[in-house]
Amino acid sequence: MMIAHITDTHLGYRQYNLEEREEDIYRLFNEAVDKILREKPDLVIHTGDLFDQSRPPVRALLVAYNGFKKLVDKGIKVYGILGDHDSPKRRSTPPHRLLEELGVIRVIGFNPFQEKPYVELEVEGKKILVAGIRSLPKKYSANLVGILSRLGGLAGGYDRSILMLHQGIKEHFPYSYELELKDLPGGFNYYALGHIHVRTWFRYKTGVVGYAGSIDIIRIDEWEDYKKNGKGFYLVDLSADTPVIHKVDLEGIRKHVIMEVDYKLLEEELRKISQRVSTEKLKPILHLTVKGRRINKANVHRLLLRLLQNKVLSWRLRFEEEGAPPPPSIVKGLEKIDIRELLKRSLGDEEEAELAYRLLELLGEGDTRAALELTKKYYEEKW
Ligand SMILES: [Mn+2]
């Protein structure tokens, strides 16, 4: 028995407010669907953040619908859970409901405290348990652990069992987590996880825990992991008790070029970049830090326009003036700081802290329009 595990597709996300970046994600999603079709798994599971927001653009809904429809038409069922990005903030209907109504996905664990967060299937004469719980904030961790332990008790009664979650696990992601490894109940063959965008998997008790990771560079700090581990989805072979994970890579990922350049060598270096990127099918995004003394910013812009305008999709510029006092760095202390927790403490409200955290992410990427939209949406829903 084979399943495809895909997660954190963030359909509708428009990085740096670039239309091309929104299109990139749609294209990558389609590439993933085509590759899944080629592998013909018995089922597909999506572990959350299908959409980047709980009110995605109609285009994102269409891409999700058309993609899943292709799978369902070939007899491949799709099961999913909600992530933190696509969960409505208040009691309202998640976009997935529409896709359910159209018969292309079945969402599990939307109301895990009221409904059974699992389905039972039969594949090739084998009894399969597919359990899943939507992303839950840390304040519900105790409740979550309770449900998990009950699910663990069920898992043993099936030939194969899969658990879908959209959470961080402390031992692997100490900066942001809701669960500890020991909170995962034994008994499952595959623990399919979403939320963390880097790809990773490890053996756990009777099975394997797999974070399939996002399908594109959603945040620039995923770039290094992408170079090492690629991005895409997992094919999970459940023929044996302990699953075997095969990574399937996506090819259509747009490159990011991250560089620090001495102001004195700027023209020369930009020429080199221009040469380097000229063979790329997709124009890369340049993240350029210019360092030096008495940097003439207008001159930097002129050089960029002249040498790279049609060679890169966009550039993100930073200046580091030598001799100027360095900006206060929080990076070094980050190992001990949980930003979400700090925001929660200072704001005293979990939802506001979540908003602040998202704003921090968006503004850190320079995406002021998305930040504004998010803020408006938050207060519209709230009041
Ligand atoms: Mn995500």
Side-chain angles (χ1 to χ4, degrees):
M1 177 195 174
M2 187 79 87
I3 63 169
H5 174 202
I6 184 166
T7 189
D8 294 89
T9 44
H10 288 265
L11 296 173
Y13 178 54
R14 180 183 278 220
Q15 193 173 43
Y16 313 128
N17 200 33
L18 295 166
E19 202 184 322
E20 290 89 343
R21 289 295 291 139
E22 188 178 329
E23 287 299 321
D24 281 348
I25 292 183
Y26 298 145
R27 196 187 61 249
L28 289 164
F29 183 80
N30 290 333
E31 185 188 336
V33 168
D34 289 343
K35 288 194 161 147
I36 291 171
L37 281 171
R38 225 176 293 161
E39 301 291 345
K40 300 190 179 69
D42 296 289
L43 50 118
V44 171
I45 53 176
H46 191 297
T47 48
D49 289 356
L50 171 60
F51 302 108
D52 189 57
Q53 307 163 27
S54 60
R55 294 183 192 175
V58 174
R59 181 80 204 286
L61 285 163
L62 268 174
V63 170
Y65 171 73
N66 287 325
F68 288 156
K69 178 85 165 51
K70 279 193 203 169
L71 299 171
V72 171
D73 283 349
K74 294 283 173 193
I76 303 169
K77 286 189 176 130
V78 182
Y79 294 89
I81 55 170
L82 267 62
D84 54 325
H85 274 258
D86 49 13
S87 290
K89 293 276 168 294
R90 296 274 142 169
R91 279 177 189 277
S92 62
T93 310
H96 312 62
R97 274 292 300 132
L98 188 64
L99 302 179
E100 271 196 316
E101 198 69 27
L102 295 166
V104 298
I105 190 173
R106 168 87 190 265
V107 175
I108 299 174
F110 178 53
N111 282 316
F113 304 117
Q114 284 140 40
E115 297 159 10
K116 281 196 270 182
Y118 60 87
V119 291
E120 300 170 350
L121 310 173
E122 211 183 287
V123 178
E124 293 160 357
K126 285 190 166 145
K127 276 174 72 189
I128 315 291
L129 175 71
V130 182
I133 300 170
R134 67 181 292 178
S135 159
L136 288 171
K138 214 171 184 170
K139 66 176 172 187
Y140 295 115
S141 289
N143 311 53
L144 176 57
V145 171
I147 304 176
L148 286 174
S149 87
R150 284 197 293 282
L151 287 173
L154 277 177
Y158 294 82
D159 296 313
R160 293 287 180 268
S161 53
I162 300 156
L163 175 63
M164 297 190 281
L165 293 172
H166 188 95
Q167 313 285 166
I169 291 174
K170 186 180 178 185
E171 284 78 355
H172 290 265
F173 307 100
Y175 315 128
S176 171
Y177 64 89
E178 300 83 21
L179 289 175
E180 292 177 33
L181 201 50
K182 67 172 170 52
D183 298 330
L184 292 184
F188 283 91
N189 300 97
Y190 185 55
Y191 302 80
L193 274 95
H195 188 48
I196 304 300
H197 288 181
V198 301
R199 262 173 158 183
T200 178
W201 63 268
F202 51 91
R203 290 281 298 270
Y204 176 69
K205 290 190 178 170
T206 44
V208 168
V209 177
Y211 280 96
S214 54
I215 59 165
D216 195 0
I217 313 295
I218 303 296
R219 287 175 48 162
I220 191 60
D221 60 10
E222 295 163 33
W223 179 248
E224 287 304 313
D225 176 71
Y226 164 69
K227 283 199 289 183
K228 266 189 280 158
N229 298 315
K231 282 199 178 286
F233 60 91
Y234 285 161
L235 270 180
V236 183
D237 184 348
L238 283 158
S239 314
D241 285 350
T242 304
V244 179
I245 313 267
H246 303 276
K247 291 197 278 193
V248 180
D249 288 339
L250 298 179
E251 277 135 55
I253 291 177
R254 190 186 295 273
K255 281 193 179 155
H256 292 254
V257 177
I258 304 168
M259 291 204 65
E260 272 189 18
V261 172
D262 186 336
Y263 180 54
K264 280 180 282 187
L265 306 172
L266 187 62
E267 180 157 356
E268 195 182 323
E269 292 296 327
L270 292 187
R271 281 185 199 285
K272 277 189 216 160
I273 296 172
S274 165
Q275 283 244 299
R276 221 178 94 195
V277 301
S278 58
T279 52
E280 296 291 342
K281 259 189 268 164
L282 288 166
K283 291 176 188 172
I285 295 167
L286 173 65
H287 302 257
L288 181 68
T289 303
V290 181
K291 291 173 127 178
R293 278 180 189 279
R294 287 193 289 279
I295 299 169
N296 179 337
K297 292 183 183 174
N299 185 40
V300 173
H301 283 281
R302 267 196 302 276
L303 276 173
L304 280 165
L305 281 171
R306 181 152 61 82
L307 298 171
L308 286 173
Q309 192 174 23
N310 297 310
K311 304 284 178 64
V312 297
L313 175 65
S314 165
W315 51 71
R316 324 290 308 162
L317 256 182
R318 280 183 57 227
F319 296 101
E320 269 180 37
E321 188 72 33
E322 265 168 35
S329 169
I330 57 158
V331 175
K332 279 191 182 135
L334 206 59
E335 278 159 12
K336 293 164 206 79
I337 295 173
D338 180 338
I339 292 179
R340 272 200 169 90
E341 194 55 42
L342 280 178
L343 288 168
K344 214 166 72 188
R345 259 183 246 170
S346 71
L347 295 168
D349 178 286
E350 186 148 349
E351 285 185 4
E352 262 173 33
E354 189 59 29
L355 172 71
Y357 184 75
R358 288 279 164 73
L359 288 176
L360 199 63
E361 279 185 336
L362 290 170
L363 294 171
E365 306 254 298
D367 200 343
T368 45
R369 189 178 298 192
L372 195 65
E373 268 170 29
L374 182 73
T375 312
K376 270 195 204 148
K377 203 180 90 179
Y378 177 83
Y379 287 103
E380 269 168 24
E381 282 182 26
K382 193 153 177 138
W383 303 112

